[in-house]
Every structure is written in C-alpha cells, then in structure tokens.
Amino acid sequence: MAADDAPHEQQVHDGSAAPSSSAHCTPLSSRPETAWDFYGDKNVLAPMVRVGHLPTRLLALQYGADIVYGPETIDKRLMSCSRQSDEVTGTTVFVDHDNKALFTTCALEREKVVMQIGTNNAVNALKAAEVVAKDVAAIDVNMGCPKPFSTQGAMGSRLLSDVEKARDIMATLRRNLPSSVHVTCKIRLLDDVDSTVAFARAMEACGISALGVHARYIPQRPRDAAHWKLVKPVVDALACPVILSGDVFTFADFQRARDELGVAAAMTARGAQWNASIFRADGFHSNNEVREAFLQKCCWMSKYPYQLAKFQLQEMMLAPSWFHRAPGDVMTLKTDLGRAIQSAKSLRGLCEALGPSMARYHDACVEWRAKRGSEAKEALDDNGDEHPFNLMHRHASSTCM
C-alpha cells in the first residue's frame, strides 16, 4: 500500500464554504453548499457488483458507515424501471420491464445511499437519475471500471479518454437535478499525474459535489497495490471533496488516508466484502457474527435472491490469510460450514447452514411478513413512523431465542 512519506496537513472546512483551488476552466455549474457537510470526514462503502445491495448497505450502516454506494446500474435498465412500494417491509423497489427488482432501498438509508450509474450518454444518464433522485442522497457516474462489462459499452474507464463526453454527462446531471441530490463521479488514475489532475479539474468545473479516485491505473487489478501518493496532487488541485478508493482494509486506514493525503473521505470495497464490521471504531466483529447479521437482513426482505446472499457469504469466507481474523472465525469453504453454504439451494438453506437459530429466524420472518401483509394498513397505522424492519427484527429475534 503506497502512501506519502510525510503526513499531509489536512485542510479544515466549515461545511458551507470549500477552500479555493488554483485557477482552471470556467465552472459549468456551482457545487452544492452542503457538499463538505455530506462528504467531509466520512467512511464509505464502495460500489460493488453482486454485493452492494440493500442487506449489505444496511449492515455497513449498522456497523458505522457514513455513506453507502449501491452497485453500478446501467442507465438504460434504470430508465425503464417503475417505482413500487412494499408496505410489508417498508422498502421502495425499482422494477424493470422484465419485472425484476433492479434496486431496492428504504428510509433507513435515504440520507446516505448513493446510486452509481453506468452511462455513456448525458440524456440517458439524466433520465436514469430522475427515476431514483427522490430516494437517494447522491448520483455517482462510474468512470473507473476497466472490465469489459462497462468498457464495451463505452462506459466506465472508457470515459477517461473522452473528457468532453464525461463533462457533458456531469454538467447535464448537475444542471437538472435538485441541489439536494449530490452529483459525483469515480475515476481511476490516468497515465500521468498531470493528466489525472486535468481530468479531475474538468469534472470539478461541472459543479460535482465530490470526486472519487480509485488509486490504480486502468490496467491494474485488486492484487496490485494502490498508489495512494498519486491521489494527493488531485486533492491539492481541487476545491471539492476527494474520496480515496483502494487498499482500505482496517478502520484505521480511513483516518490514515485523511491524515496522509488530505482526502475528505475514504471508501472500502474488499475490506467490507470480507467483513462489514470494518466500519466499527471499536474493532472487527467475528466473521461468524457478521454472517448472521447479514443473513438477518436478507431474511427481512421479500424474495431476496438467495444467489446474491450465497455469493456474499462465500466471499466472506474467501478473505486472504493476511486479512483480519477473529478467534474462531471460519474463513474457508473447505469446511462443513463452507460446503453447506455452497450446497444451499434457498435462503432458508443458507440459514440452516449457520445453525438452528438462524433457520428459526428465517421462518419467523416469513411468518411475520405473511401476517403483516394481511394487516399491512392496520399495522402501519398502529405503529406510526416506526420502520417495519425494526418491528420485524424484534419479533423475529424474540421468536428464535
């Protein structure tokens, strides 16, 4: 993990007035005054395909995350979605034309969740953003993904080679979305520092609230060390908050990034994928505890795809040997637990793999949803503003004790 030899003295911001930056291109739009309030001194769950869905985001928030990103969603798919409310679980579900739940959120994360969009077109980006704008805190454009999934569609890191298109997308979003919705993008390092800074300045001129920088070059993969020190010139050149991404594996790494680079925030992907309690200032929970907490949130949701839960549980058990291990953690699939998770064919099967109490928890959630479904309006009226998840969690927990 690379970092500067000498710590960088972090600038102090009052939340409403950001520091001035060196002169660059004329701003296309102004940054919301709340940008530093939202992004300053924050620990962030990074966007992760197949992992960053609602259960993982709620788990990260439970453990102390300040901001949580959903997985990248392609603009054209999001444009076709209809917004539906699930009164039983208290969730808002965006369903595409194939009747597939593309994005699910709830009031518990409303002020902290970021929708990341994959796009190569300003008009489509805006149409997609407008679908979810009332239900998220920010819209982020993926400009860093190097995988063919994104680049073949001229999205992701392909945008780094087309600054005018990237500028058009960001300016269009900022000009047309309410100022209460933050607009950001997440990039990778370009071939040299000057190129990275120039691209970052072009994005800042669009009025973005923050810039995420994945401290790796486009060809690099997670096994390659992140180049932390190359993010500092970007921080020094911009007035908007900068978010570091790359090689954040402990709670201490969040603050170390702020101290050494002067970034406003830092985000973690693999660290949270392997153990979401990375956000706890008091240290990691055991992997066993985190597994149960994660599955509890999956059980709460209606028809949460067990394949997604299974993938996440498997990834938690595939953490490398150097990553944090608590006493008693089972961190390999070559165990009875690992084999039971791999062979599970349903959400209940995954719960059974963790033990009888989790199986009872699953059944209690199913029973609770069925009962609440038949009495949904009455239950909502009786319980006022209390969120359905809190009610279900207490009921299911007491049932499986």
PDB file of all heavy atoms in Angstrom, residues 105-142:
ATOM      1  N   THR A 105     -34.388   0.040  -1.877  1.00  0.00           N
ATOM      2  CA  THR A 105     -33.888   0.925  -0.844  1.00  0.00           C
ATOM      3  C   THR A 105     -34.964   1.080   0.224  1.00  0.00           C
ATOM      4  O   THR A 105     -36.050   0.515   0.125  1.00  0.00           O
ATOM      5  CB  THR A 105     -33.482   2.290  -1.432  1.00  0.00           C
ATOM      6  OG1 THR A 105     -32.882   3.096  -0.418  1.00  0.00           O
ATOM      7  CG2 THR A 105     -34.672   3.016  -2.040  1.00  0.00           C
ATOM      8  N   CYS A 106     -34.646   1.827   1.267  1.00  0.00           N
ATOM      9  CA  CYS A 106     -35.618   2.059   2.336  1.00  0.00           C
ATOM     10  C   CYS A 106     -35.259   3.339   3.066  1.00  0.00           C
ATOM     11  O   CYS A 106     -34.192   3.920   2.877  1.00  0.00           O
ATOM     12  CB  CYS A 106     -35.669   0.877   3.295  1.00  0.00           C
ATOM     13  SG  CYS A 106     -34.190   0.690   4.328  1.00  0.00           S
ATOM     14  N   ALA A 107     -36.170   3.752   3.952  1.00  0.00           N
ATOM     15  CA  ALA A 107     -35.994   5.024   4.657  1.00  0.00           C
ATOM     16  C   ALA A 107     -34.760   5.037   5.543  1.00  0.00           C
ATOM     17  O   ALA A 107     -34.177   6.098   5.793  1.00  0.00           O
ATOM     18  CB  ALA A 107     -37.240   5.318   5.491  1.00  0.00           C
ATOM     19  N   LEU A 108     -34.331   3.879   6.019  1.00  0.00           N
ATOM     20  CA  LEU A 108     -33.187   3.817   6.917  1.00  0.00           C
ATOM     21  C   LEU A 108     -31.896   4.311   6.268  1.00  0.00           C
ATOM     22  O   LEU A 108     -30.974   4.736   6.958  1.00  0.00           O
ATOM     23  CB  LEU A 108     -32.985   2.377   7.419  1.00  0.00           C
ATOM     24  CG  LEU A 108     -34.054   1.844   8.379  1.00  0.00           C
ATOM     25  CD1 LEU A 108     -33.779   0.387   8.692  1.00  0.00           C
ATOM     26  CD2 LEU A 108     -34.097   2.657   9.658  1.00  0.00           C
ATOM     27  N   GLU A 109     -31.827   4.261   4.929  1.00  0.00           N
ATOM     28  CA  GLU A 109     -30.600   4.700   4.253  1.00  0.00           C
ATOM     29  C   GLU A 109     -30.819   5.913   3.372  1.00  0.00           C
ATOM     30  O   GLU A 109     -29.892   6.340   2.679  1.00  0.00           O
ATOM     31  CB  GLU A 109     -30.024   3.557   3.407  1.00  0.00           C
ATOM     32  CG  GLU A 109     -30.893   3.118   2.233  1.00  0.00           C
ATOM     33  CD  GLU A 109     -30.177   2.163   1.272  1.00  0.00           C
ATOM     34  OE1 GLU A 109     -29.046   1.730   1.576  1.00  0.00           O
ATOM     35  OE2 GLU A 109     -30.775   1.852   0.225  1.00  0.00           O
ATOM     36  N   ARG A 110     -31.999   6.473   3.405  1.00  0.00           N
ATOM     37  CA  ARG A 110     -32.362   7.532   2.461  1.00  0.00           C
ATOM     38  C   ARG A 110     -31.347   8.670   2.384  1.00  0.00           C
ATOM     39  O   ARG A 110     -31.011   9.151   1.299  1.00  0.00           O
ATOM     40  CB  ARG A 110     -33.742   8.099   2.843  1.00  0.00           C
ATOM     41  CG  ARG A 110     -34.143   9.372   2.115  1.00  0.00           C
ATOM     42  CD  ARG A 110     -34.311   9.168   0.617  1.00  0.00           C
ATOM     43  NE  ARG A 110     -34.637  10.409  -0.055  1.00  0.00           N
ATOM     44  CZ  ARG A 110     -33.735  11.323  -0.426  1.00  0.00           C
ATOM     45  NH1 ARG A 110     -32.449  11.124  -0.188  1.00  0.00           N
ATOM     46  NH2 ARG A 110     -34.111  12.432  -1.027  1.00  0.00           N
ATOM     47  N   GLU A 111     -30.829   9.112   3.507  1.00  0.00           N
ATOM     48  CA  GLU A 111     -29.919  10.255   3.521  1.00  0.00           C
ATOM     49  C   GLU A 111     -28.462   9.862   3.319  1.00  0.00           C
ATOM     50  O   GLU A 111     -27.573  10.713   3.373  1.00  0.00           O
ATOM     51  CB  GLU A 111     -30.058  11.005   4.857  1.00  0.00           C
ATOM     52  CG  GLU A 111     -31.466  11.502   5.159  1.00  0.00           C
ATOM     53  CD  GLU A 111     -32.002  12.447   4.096  1.00  0.00           C
ATOM     54  OE1 GLU A 111     -31.193  13.248   3.569  1.00  0.00           O
ATOM     55  OE2 GLU A 111     -33.202  12.389   3.796  1.00  0.00           O
ATOM     56  N   LYS A 112     -28.200   8.569   3.061  1.00  0.00           N
ATOM     57  CA  LYS A 112     -26.818   8.113   2.997  1.00  0.00           C
ATOM     58  C   LYS A 112     -26.502   7.244   1.785  1.00  0.00           C
ATOM     59  O   LYS A 112     -25.342   6.867   1.602  1.00  0.00           O
ATOM     60  CB  LYS A 112     -26.483   7.335   4.275  1.00  0.00           C
ATOM     61  CG  LYS A 112     -26.601   8.177   5.540  1.00  0.00           C
ATOM     62  CD  LYS A 112     -26.203   7.398   6.783  1.00  0.00           C
ATOM     63  CE  LYS A 112     -26.275   8.281   8.019  1.00  0.00           C
ATOM     64  NZ  LYS A 112     -25.827   7.566   9.241  1.00  0.00           N
ATOM     65  N   VAL A 113     -27.491   6.911   0.980  1.00  0.00           N
ATOM     66  CA  VAL A 113     -27.257   5.973  -0.108  1.00  0.00           C
ATOM     67  C   VAL A 113     -26.955   6.696  -1.424  1.00  0.00           C
ATOM     68  O   VAL A 113     -27.548   7.733  -1.738  1.00  0.00           O
ATOM     69  CB  VAL A 113     -28.463   5.023  -0.295  1.00  0.00           C
ATOM     70  CG1 VAL A 113     -29.716   5.772  -0.737  1.00  0.00           C
ATOM     71  CG2 VAL A 113     -28.124   3.907  -1.278  1.00  0.00           C
ATOM     72  N   VAL A 114     -26.022   6.128  -2.181  1.00  0.00           N
ATOM     73  CA  VAL A 114     -25.605   6.677  -3.469  1.00  0.00           C
ATOM     74  C   VAL A 114     -25.934   5.673  -4.564  1.00  0.00           C
ATOM     75  O   VAL A 114     -25.586   4.498  -4.461  1.00  0.00           O
ATOM     76  CB  VAL A 114     -24.087   6.967  -3.478  1.00  0.00           C
ATOM     77  CG1 VAL A 114     -23.660   7.529  -4.834  1.00  0.00           C
ATOM     78  CG2 VAL A 114     -23.715   7.921  -2.354  1.00  0.00           C
ATOM     79  N   MET A 115     -26.609   6.124  -5.594  1.00  0.00           N
ATOM     80  CA  MET A 115     -26.869   5.292  -6.766  1.00  0.00           C
ATOM     81  C   MET A 115     -25.758   5.521  -7.779  1.00  0.00           C
ATOM     82  O   MET A 115     -25.547   6.651  -8.234  1.00  0.00           O
ATOM     83  CB  MET A 115     -28.226   5.644  -7.384  1.00  0.00           C
ATOM     84  CG  MET A 115     -28.418   5.152  -8.817  1.00  0.00           C
ATOM     85  SD  MET A 115     -28.356   3.354  -9.005  1.00  0.00           S
ATOM     86  CE  MET A 115     -29.989   2.900  -8.440  1.00  0.00           C
ATOM     87  N   GLN A 116     -25.017   4.475  -8.106  1.00  0.00           N
ATOM     88  CA  GLN A 116     -23.981   4.603  -9.129  1.00  0.00           C
ATOM     89  C   GLN A 116     -24.536   4.149 -10.477  1.00  0.00           C
ATOM     90  O   GLN A 116     -25.099   3.056 -10.593  1.00  0.00           O
ATOM     91  CB  GLN A 116     -22.730   3.798  -8.800  1.00  0.00           C
ATOM     92  CG  GLN A 116     -21.614   4.093  -9.799  1.00  0.00           C
ATOM     93  CD  GLN A 116     -20.345   3.302  -9.557  1.00  0.00           C
ATOM     94  OE1 GLN A 116     -20.342   2.095  -9.733  1.00  0.00           O
ATOM     95  NE2 GLN A 116     -19.265   3.981  -9.197  1.00  0.00           N
ATOM     96  N   ILE A 117     -24.359   4.992 -11.473  1.00  0.00           N
ATOM     97  CA  ILE A 117     -24.891   4.741 -12.811  1.00  0.00           C
ATOM     98  C   ILE A 117     -23.750   4.454 -13.782  1.00  0.00           C
ATOM     99  O   ILE A 117     -22.716   5.124 -13.779  1.00  0.00           O
ATOM    100  CB  ILE A 117     -25.715   5.949 -13.306  1.00  0.00           C
ATOM    101  CG1 ILE A 117     -26.971   6.128 -12.449  1.00  0.00           C
ATOM    102  CG2 ILE A 117     -26.100   5.788 -14.771  1.00  0.00           C
ATOM    103  CD1 ILE A 117     -27.774   7.363 -12.817  1.00  0.00           C
ATOM    104  N   GLY A 118     -23.969   3.461 -14.638  1.00  0.00           N
ATOM    105  CA  GLY A 118     -23.092   3.214 -15.763  1.00  0.00           C
ATOM    106  C   GLY A 118     -23.714   3.859 -16.990  1.00  0.00           C
ATOM    107  O   GLY A 118     -24.863   3.560 -17.334  1.00  0.00           O
ATOM    108  N   THR A 119     -23.004   4.753 -17.645  1.00  0.00           N
ATOM    109  CA  THR A 119     -23.587   5.507 -18.754  1.00  0.00           C
ATOM    110  C   THR A 119     -22.503   5.995 -19.699  1.00  0.00           C
ATOM    111  O   THR A 119     -21.334   6.093 -19.336  1.00  0.00           O
ATOM    112  CB  THR A 119     -24.394   6.712 -18.220  1.00  0.00           C
ATOM    113  OG1 THR A 119     -25.086   7.364 -19.287  1.00  0.00           O
ATOM    114  CG2 THR A 119     -23.480   7.711 -17.526  1.00  0.00           C
ATOM    115  N   ASN A 120     -22.912   6.314 -20.930  1.00  0.00           N
ATOM    116  CA  ASN A 120     -22.020   6.979 -21.872  1.00  0.00           C
ATOM    117  C   ASN A 120     -22.761   8.077 -22.619  1.00  0.00           C
ATOM    118  O   ASN A 120     -22.318   8.549 -23.656  1.00  0.00           O
ATOM    119  CB  ASN A 120     -21.440   5.979 -22.881  1.00  0.00           C
ATOM    120  CG  ASN A 120     -22.499   5.375 -23.788  1.00  0.00           C
ATOM    121  OD1 ASN A 120     -23.684   5.722 -23.725  1.00  0.00           O
ATOM    122  ND2 ASN A 120     -22.091   4.456 -24.649  1.00  0.00           N
ATOM    123  N   ASN A 121     -23.895   8.498 -22.030  1.00  0.00           N
ATOM    124  CA  ASN A 121     -24.776   9.437 -22.720  1.00  0.00           C
ATOM    125  C   ASN A 121     -25.451  10.341 -21.697  1.00  0.00           C
ATOM    126  O   ASN A 121     -26.077   9.852 -20.755  1.00  0.00           O
ATOM    127  CB  ASN A 121     -25.821   8.660 -23.533  1.00  0.00           C
ATOM    128  CG  ASN A 121     -26.789   9.549 -24.266  1.00  0.00           C
ATOM    129  OD1 ASN A 121     -27.735  10.055 -23.682  1.00  0.00           O
ATOM    130  ND2 ASN A 121     -26.561   9.732 -25.562  1.00  0.00           N
ATOM    131  N   ALA A 122     -25.336  11.639 -21.879  1.00  0.00           N
ATOM    132  CA  ALA A 122     -25.856  12.597 -20.901  1.00  0.00           C
ATOM    133  C   ALA A 122     -27.366  12.521 -20.762  1.00  0.00           C
ATOM    134  O   ALA A 122     -27.908  12.603 -19.660  1.00  0.00           O
ATOM    135  CB  ALA A 122     -25.431  14.011 -21.294  1.00  0.00           C
ATOM    136  N   VAL A 123     -28.064  12.372 -21.872  1.00  0.00           N
ATOM    137  CA  VAL A 123     -29.522  12.323 -21.834  1.00  0.00           C
ATOM    138  C   VAL A 123     -30.000  11.086 -21.074  1.00  0.00           C
ATOM    139  O   VAL A 123     -30.872  11.160 -20.208  1.00  0.00           O
ATOM    140  CB  VAL A 123     -30.112  12.343 -23.258  1.00  0.00           C
ATOM    141  CG1 VAL A 123     -31.625  12.131 -23.220  1.00  0.00           C
ATOM    142  CG2 VAL A 123     -29.780  13.665 -23.949  1.00  0.00           C
ATOM    143  N   ASN A 124     -29.407   9.944 -21.399  1.00  0.00           N
ATOM    144  CA  ASN A 124     -29.793   8.710 -20.707  1.00  0.00           C
ATOM    145  C   ASN A 124     -29.416   8.759 -19.224  1.00  0.00           C
ATOM    146  O   ASN A 124     -30.155   8.258 -18.370  1.00  0.00           O
ATOM    147  CB  ASN A 124     -29.126   7.504 -21.371  1.00  0.00           C
ATOM    148  CG  ASN A 124     -29.715   7.170 -22.719  1.00  0.00           C
ATOM    149  OD1 ASN A 124     -30.775   7.683 -23.086  1.00  0.00           O
ATOM    150  ND2 ASN A 124     -29.033   6.337 -23.475  1.00  0.00           N
ATOM    151  N   ALA A 125     -28.278   9.345 -18.941  1.00  0.00           N
ATOM    152  CA  ALA A 125     -27.855   9.459 -17.544  1.00  0.00           C
ATOM    153  C   ALA A 125     -28.867  10.256 -16.739  1.00  0.00           C
ATOM    154  O   ALA A 125     -29.226   9.880 -15.611  1.00  0.00           O
ATOM    155  CB  ALA A 125     -26.477  10.116 -17.465  1.00  0.00           C
ATOM    156  N   LEU A 126     -29.335  11.353 -17.301  1.00  0.00           N
ATOM    157  CA  LEU A 126     -30.312  12.185 -16.602  1.00  0.00           C
ATOM    158  C   LEU A 126     -31.640  11.457 -16.433  1.00  0.00           C
ATOM    159  O   LEU A 126     -32.250  11.479 -15.357  1.00  0.00           O
ATOM    160  CB  LEU A 126     -30.511  13.504 -17.344  1.00  0.00           C
ATOM    161  CG  LEU A 126     -31.538  14.454 -16.723  1.00  0.00           C
ATOM    162  CD1 LEU A 126     -31.130  14.826 -15.301  1.00  0.00           C
ATOM    163  CD2 LEU A 126     -31.700  15.702 -17.585  1.00  0.00           C
ATOM    164  N   LYS A 127     -32.099  10.790 -17.494  1.00  0.00           N
ATOM    165  CA  LYS A 127     -33.359  10.058 -17.396  1.00  0.00           C
ATOM    166  C   LYS A 127     -33.282   8.978 -16.313  1.00  0.00           C
ATOM    167  O   LYS A 127     -34.230   8.775 -15.557  1.00  0.00           O
ATOM    168  CB  LYS A 127     -33.702   9.417 -18.749  1.00  0.00           C
ATOM    169  CG  LYS A 127     -34.132  10.404 -19.821  1.00  0.00           C
ATOM    170  CD  LYS A 127     -34.454   9.686 -21.127  1.00  0.00           C
ATOM    171  CE  LYS A 127     -34.911  10.657 -22.203  1.00  0.00           C
ATOM    172  NZ  LYS A 127     -35.195   9.954 -23.488  1.00  0.00           N
ATOM    173  N   ALA A 128     -32.151   8.295 -16.242  1.00  0.00           N
ATOM    174  CA  ALA A 128     -31.973   7.259 -15.231  1.00  0.00           C
ATOM    175  C   ALA A 128     -31.930   7.865 -13.836  1.00  0.00           C
ATOM    176  O   ALA A 128     -32.560   7.361 -12.902  1.00  0.00           O
ATOM    177  CB  ALA A 128     -30.702   6.468 -15.513  1.00  0.00           C
ATOM    178  N   ALA A 129     -31.190   8.950 -13.693  1.00  0.00           N
ATOM    179  CA  ALA A 129     -31.060   9.588 -12.389  1.00  0.00           C
ATOM    180  C   ALA A 129     -32.395  10.099 -11.879  1.00  0.00           C
ATOM    181  O   ALA A 129     -32.695  10.014 -10.677  1.00  0.00           O
ATOM    182  CB  ALA A 129     -30.051  10.730 -12.469  1.00  0.00           C
ATOM    183  N   GLU A 130     -33.214  10.617 -12.787  1.00  0.00           N
ATOM    184  CA  GLU A 130     -34.510  11.164 -12.376  1.00  0.00           C
ATOM    185  C   GLU A 130     -35.445  10.088 -11.834  1.00  0.00           C
ATOM    186  O   GLU A 130     -36.328  10.383 -11.034  1.00  0.00           O
ATOM    187  CB  GLU A 130     -35.156  11.898 -13.554  1.00  0.00           C
ATOM    188  CG  GLU A 130     -34.466  13.220 -13.876  1.00  0.00           C
ATOM    189  CD  GLU A 130     -35.016  13.891 -15.126  1.00  0.00           C
ATOM    190  OE1 GLU A 130     -35.570  13.191 -16.000  1.00  0.00           O
ATOM    191  OE2 GLU A 130     -34.880  15.129 -15.239  1.00  0.00           O
ATOM    192  N   VAL A 131     -35.233   8.835 -12.240  1.00  0.00           N
ATOM    193  CA  VAL A 131     -36.073   7.749 -11.747  1.00  0.00           C
ATOM    194  C   VAL A 131     -35.900   7.563 -10.246  1.00  0.00           C
ATOM    195  O   VAL A 131     -36.859   7.292  -9.513  1.00  0.00           O
ATOM    196  CB  VAL A 131     -35.748   6.434 -12.494  1.00  0.00           C
ATOM    197  CG1 VAL A 131     -36.473   5.246 -11.857  1.00  0.00           C
ATOM    198  CG2 VAL A 131     -36.129   6.548 -13.969  1.00  0.00           C
ATOM    199  N   VAL A 132     -34.671   7.722  -9.756  1.00  0.00           N
ATOM    200  CA  VAL A 132     -34.376   7.410  -8.345  1.00  0.00           C
ATOM    201  C   VAL A 132     -34.037   8.642  -7.517  1.00  0.00           C
ATOM    202  O   VAL A 132     -33.787   8.521  -6.313  1.00  0.00           O
ATOM    203  CB  VAL A 132     -33.215   6.403  -8.246  1.00  0.00           C
ATOM    204  CG1 VAL A 132     -33.579   5.082  -8.897  1.00  0.00           C
ATOM    205  CG2 VAL A 132     -31.938   6.976  -8.868  1.00  0.00           C
ATOM    206  N   ALA A 133     -34.021   9.814  -8.114  1.00  0.00           N
ATOM    207  CA  ALA A 133     -33.492  11.008  -7.447  1.00  0.00           C
ATOM    208  C   ALA A 133     -34.170  11.313  -6.117  1.00  0.00           C
ATOM    209  O   ALA A 133     -33.532  11.805  -5.181  1.00  0.00           O
ATOM    210  CB  ALA A 133     -33.594  12.217  -8.370  1.00  0.00           C
ATOM    211  N   LYS A 134     -35.456  11.015  -5.998  1.00  0.00           N
ATOM    212  CA  LYS A 134     -36.175  11.327  -4.759  1.00  0.00           C
ATOM    213  C   LYS A 134     -35.880  10.330  -3.641  1.00  0.00           C
ATOM    214  O   LYS A 134     -36.277  10.563  -2.493  1.00  0.00           O
ATOM    215  CB  LYS A 134     -37.676  11.371  -5.032  1.00  0.00           C
ATOM    216  CG  LYS A 134     -38.110  12.511  -5.945  1.00  0.00           C
ATOM    217  CD  LYS A 134     -39.619  12.505  -6.140  1.00  0.00           C
ATOM    218  CE  LYS A 134     -40.060  13.653  -7.038  1.00  0.00           C
ATOM    219  NZ  LYS A 134     -41.536  13.649  -7.255  1.00  0.00           N
ATOM    220  N   ASP A 135     -35.197   9.240  -3.974  1.00  0.00           N
ATOM    221  CA  ASP A 135     -34.988   8.177  -2.989  1.00  0.00           C
ATOM    222  C   ASP A 135     -33.526   7.952  -2.631  1.00  0.00           C
ATOM    223  O   ASP A 135     -33.226   7.033  -1.871  1.00  0.00           O
ATOM    224  CB  ASP A 135     -35.588   6.867  -3.519  1.00  0.00           C
ATOM    225  CG  ASP A 135     -37.089   6.945  -3.648  1.00  0.00           C
ATOM    226  OD1 ASP A 135     -37.770   6.822  -2.615  1.00  0.00           O
ATOM    227  OD2 ASP A 135     -37.579   7.141  -4.779  1.00  0.00           O
ATOM    228  N   VAL A 136     -32.627   8.759  -3.175  1.00  0.00           N
ATOM    229  CA  VAL A 136     -31.203   8.605  -2.868  1.00  0.00           C
ATOM    230  C   VAL A 136     -30.605   9.949  -2.497  1.00  0.00           C
ATOM    231  O   VAL A 136     -31.173  11.010  -2.788  1.00  0.00           O
ATOM    232  CB  VAL A 136     -30.434   7.991  -4.060  1.00  0.00           C
ATOM    233  CG1 VAL A 136     -30.991   6.620  -4.414  1.00  0.00           C
ATOM    234  CG2 VAL A 136     -30.467   8.924  -5.275  1.00  0.00           C
ATOM    235  N   ALA A 137     -29.445   9.896  -1.853  1.00  0.00           N
ATOM    236  CA  ALA A 137     -28.764  11.123  -1.454  1.00  0.00           C
ATOM    237  C   ALA A 137     -27.855  11.656  -2.552  1.00  0.00           C
ATOM    238  O   ALA A 137     -27.559  12.857  -2.583  1.00  0.00           O
ATOM    239  CB  ALA A 137     -27.953  10.876  -0.187  1.00  0.00           C
ATOM    240  N   ALA A 138     -27.407  10.768  -3.443  1.00  0.00           N
ATOM    241  CA  ALA A 138     -26.451  11.189  -4.469  1.00  0.00           C
ATOM    242  C   ALA A 138     -26.514  10.266  -5.679  1.00  0.00           C
ATOM    243  O   ALA A 138     -26.908   9.104  -5.571  1.00  0.00           O
ATOM    244  CB  ALA A 138     -25.029  11.205  -3.900  1.00  0.00           C
ATOM    245  N   ILE A 139     -26.101  10.822  -6.809  1.00  0.00           N
ATOM    246  CA  ILE A 139     -25.928  10.072  -8.051  1.00  0.00           C
ATOM    247  C   ILE A 139     -24.455  10.100  -8.412  1.00  0.00           C
ATOM    248  O   ILE A 139     -23.829  11.159  -8.465  1.00  0.00           O
ATOM    249  CB  ILE A 139     -26.737  10.697  -9.212  1.00  0.00           C
ATOM    250  CG1 ILE A 139     -28.233  10.698  -8.902  1.00  0.00           C
ATOM    251  CG2 ILE A 139     -26.443   9.963 -10.514  1.00  0.00           C
ATOM    252  CD1 ILE A 139     -28.876   9.327  -8.846  1.00  0.00           C
ATOM    253  N   ASP A 140     -23.870   8.918  -8.626  1.00  0.00           N
ATOM    254  CA  ASP A 140     -22.466   8.823  -8.994  1.00  0.00           C
ATOM    255  C   ASP A 140     -22.348   8.179 -10.375  1.00  0.00           C
ATOM    256  O   ASP A 140     -23.064   7.227 -10.679  1.00  0.00           O
ATOM    257  CB  ASP A 140     -21.708   7.973  -7.975  1.00  0.00           C
ATOM    258  CG  ASP A 140     -20.223   7.864  -8.299  1.00  0.00           C
ATOM    259  OD1 ASP A 140     -19.493   8.829  -8.013  1.00  0.00           O
ATOM    260  OD2 ASP A 140     -19.802   6.824  -8.839  1.00  0.00           O
ATOM    261  N   VAL A 141     -21.465   8.699 -11.193  1.00  0.00           N
ATOM    262  CA  VAL A 141     -21.210   8.133 -12.511  1.00  0.00           C
ATOM    263  C   VAL A 141     -19.919   7.324 -12.471  1.00  0.00           C
ATOM    264  O   VAL A 141     -18.868   7.830 -12.057  1.00  0.00           O
ATOM    265  CB  VAL A 141     -21.125   9.220 -13.595  1.00  0.00           C
ATOM    266  CG1 VAL A 141     -20.735   8.606 -14.941  1.00  0.00           C
ATOM    267  CG2 VAL A 141     -22.457   9.954 -13.717  1.00  0.00           C
ATOM    268  N   ASN A 142     -19.999   6.092 -12.881  1.00  0.00           N
ATOM    269  CA  ASN A 142     -18.832   5.204 -12.900  1.00  0.00           C
ATOM    270  C   ASN A 142     -17.932   5.571 -14.080  1.00  0.00           C
ATOM    271  O   ASN A 142     -18.294   5.373 -15.237  1.00  0.00           O
ATOM    272  CB  ASN A 142     -19.303   3.750 -13.019  1.00  0.00           C
ATOM    273  CG  ASN A 142     -18.155   2.761 -13.007  1.00  0.00           C
ATOM    274  OD1 ASN A 142     -16.986   3.136 -13.024  1.00  0.00           O
ATOM    275  ND2 ASN A 142     -18.483   1.484 -12.987  1.00  0.00           N
TER     276      ASN A 142
END
